[in-house]
Amino acid sequence: MEVVLIVAVADNGVIGAGGAIPWRLKSDQQRLKAMTMGKPVVMGRKTFISLRRPLPGRTNIVVTRDANFRAGGAVVTTSFDAARAVAFGDALRRSVAEIAVIGGAEIYARWMATADRLEITEVHAHPDGDTHFAAIDAAEWEEVARVRNPAGSDDSADFSYVTYRRRKSH
């Protein structure tokens, strides 16, 4: 089972501002849908709220410290271990080989140590923001693919799709 972190990160490390994404990339939204459809997706409470609805066709797993939080259309957990157990069970039930982790910053930080692959959309912009993604450690991660894309008609910036795989320990 592969744990895949999927994140869009601006050139300055920003991933969010005031609970929202500070750019518009329709192309990336379509890619996220294609990469996660039919799979368990793990996210934090703030990310779930920012989506305004569960992502259809996927098991939405929300991690929160608020034991009273309820989210229609999602499985709510209060720990990393519980979220991991639900995600792995769901992936096995669906016969899929990946669990997608889609944010936010605290969730990425917690799952980074167990991730096998990073699917990064590098947003070629420098927006103001209050939420950041940690720098990718080249000693731990190897870039295996990169595709640069010009901004489309519904995109606010140029962007690159970059795939990293965890380096094998010797």
Side-chain angles (χ1 to χ4, degrees):
M1 189 77 50
E2 251 192 351
V3 174
V4 182
L5 272 58
I6 303 173
V7 58
V9 184
D11 289 338
N12 60 355
V14 167
I15 62 171
I21 297 171
W23 53 76
R24 174 153 173 77
L25 290 180
K26 185 158 185 158
S27 306
D28 192 50
Q29 292 171 338
Q30 293 165 343
R31 181 175 184 253
L32 175 69
K33 181 177 180 178
M35 292 179 81
T36 60
M37 188 54 70
K39 299 173 185 169
V41 292
V42 178
M43 69 196 87
R45 176 186 54 80
K46 291 182 257 185
T47 297
F48 181 79
I49 290 169
S50 76
L51 296 173
R52 295 190 294 275
R53 65 181 174 89
L55 296 173
R58 291 148 276 200
T59 300
N60 291 245
I61 302 162
V62 179
V63 185
T64 178
R65 287 182 285 271
D66 180 355
N68 295 315
F69 182 76
R70 298 291 175 263
V75 177
V76 178
T77 66
T78 57
S79 73
F80 167 82
D81 290 333
R84 184 176 163 89
V86 170
F88 271 76
D90 185 68
L92 291 170
R93 182 181 60 78
R94 290 174 175 267
S95 298
V96 296
E98 294 178 1
I99 293 165
V101 177
I102 64 168
E106 289 182 49
I107 301 301
Y108 290 133
R110 182 61 181 93
W111 284 77
M112 183 64 83
T114 61
D116 301 291
R117 192 171 87 235
L118 307 177
E119 292 292 344
I120 308 291
T121 301
E122 292 180 350
V123 181
H124 301 305
H126 291 82
D128 289 333
D130 52 21
T131 310
H132 295 80
F133 189 75
I136 296 168
D137 183 351
E140 297 251 343
W141 297 97
E142 177 182 12
E143 183 179 315
V144 296
R146 175 179 290 271
V147 178
R148 186 164 177 112
N149 299 280
S153 60
D154 290 324
D155 301 327
S156 63
D158 292 350
F159 55 96
S160 296
Y161 294 139
V162 186
T163 301
Y164 293 88
R165 287 216 167 267
R166 184 174 295 285
R167 292 184 185 275
K168 304 286 186 228
S169 55
H170 300 297

